[in-house]
Amino acid sequence: MTGRPHGVTWRVTGSGGFETAWTEVSGTVLRARGRVVGTVPEPYWMTYELETGDAYVTRRLFVTSDTASGASRSLDLRRDEDGRWTANGEPLPDVTGADDCDLGLSPLTNAMPVLRHGLHTGPGEHDFLMAWVSVPDLTVTPSPQTYTHLEATEHGALVRFTSEDFTADLELDRDGLVVTYPGLAFRSHGPGTERVADQHRHWQETYQAHPDLYGQQPSEPAVHAAITFRKAGARTVLELGAGHGRDALYLARAGFDVTAADFSSAGLGLLRERAEAEGLAERVETLEHDVRDPLPLPDASVDAVHAHMLLSMALSTEEIRALVAEVARVLRPGGVFVYTVRHTGDAHHGMGTSHGDSRYEHGGFTVHFFDRELVDSLAEGWELREVHPFEEGTLPRQLWRVTQTRRPGPGVAP
């Protein structure tokens, strides 16, 4: 990002919104301007301008904030050369000595301490005092934080962020900017996200060259899902990662109305041809969709969701969490979600090219391997009914089949 403005957009799951920033580095001076839209803790939008001095030490942060309730605020946060801070001209003695501001729910301001100490390029651990800005109210309070370099990755580094009892392992690009911030945000496009596009091309070519890659028989998880969905009284099913349709067609034959979603148009084309040939066209609807984006379906609009191996693709943990939240949104209360993933006991875990975040590329395919902690965390707010280990393929691959039920919650009609 040195020498010219560089645009970055994050989906900010922590605020239910988005942030776009334009950044520019000249020597060790960072300048940035950005726009933010959020919905948590209330609908708001913000603009900001950030300027640092040498060594990426904050000089000024100017923020404006407007909320749906009509409140409009601005903050002119400044630091002088002696480490004294003011907010709209008023002294802030509690943050005296801090080098950095930290704009709440923004992945941008993690960059300054990382860049100053080269934590995106090599080892180190450093403690900081931050002038933390709460959003959307723009109050400023002191925040002790620690940054620790964990490991280099293909696209940058993994750096651990700690603040009191909160810890997150940040995936950074080579410029020191956040790609994935678990629990807060993930990059919509840019360095570190292109591997998803690579995987898209790989699957397109694979389905075109091998239309019967997985055969025509349904997977074992699809057979289980059909039984489970029928017991739950389901009629409509969304399959994520439908591919060329062996499971979607099986579910349609079993009497369900199926929406088959995949990001491969080649795979979906094969699915439509086979549905037409079997007289199932009225029961199968296809949807070309990248699961990094919100599902284009209304709230509580489907009875059940099936995803065989989709969550184990080249998705980051944060993207997986956002996807499961979308599944919860489109499922009716009491609806069932059956998914499968390869787990860390699999023979390929740790083999091939590491992309960080428990993702490894082997034979052209990138796989995210799950540990049990991740499975349990994805079931928070759900009824976790079963985590069933099984084997598949000739290696054999080691997988978990997870069955969980959507509980009624705030904003969900019973």
Side-chain angles (χ1 to χ4, degrees), residues 216 218 222-223 225-227 229-230 234-239 242 245-260 271-272 274-276 278-286 306:
Q216 296 304 308
V223 176
I227 296 170
F229 295 164
R230 190 174 293 111
R235 290 176 296 176
T236 58
V237 175
L238 169 66
E239 184 186 1
R246 61 173 181 152
D247 286 353
L249 294 173
Y250 172 78
L251 292 168
R253 291 186 211 108
F256 299 101
D257 292 324
V258 181
T259 298
L271 195 163
R272 286 192 294 270
R274 288 166 177 163
E276 186 72 32
E278 291 190 34
L280 296 171
E282 292 186 359
R283 285 203 172 274
V284 178
E285 178 181 354
T286 60
H306 171 57

Side-chain angles (χ1 to χ4, degrees), residues 144-159:
Q145 299 177 5
T146 301
Y147 285 76
T148 307
H149 175 96
L150 297 180
E151 62 176 293
T153 66
E154 180 185 5
H155 296 283
L158 201 63
V159 172

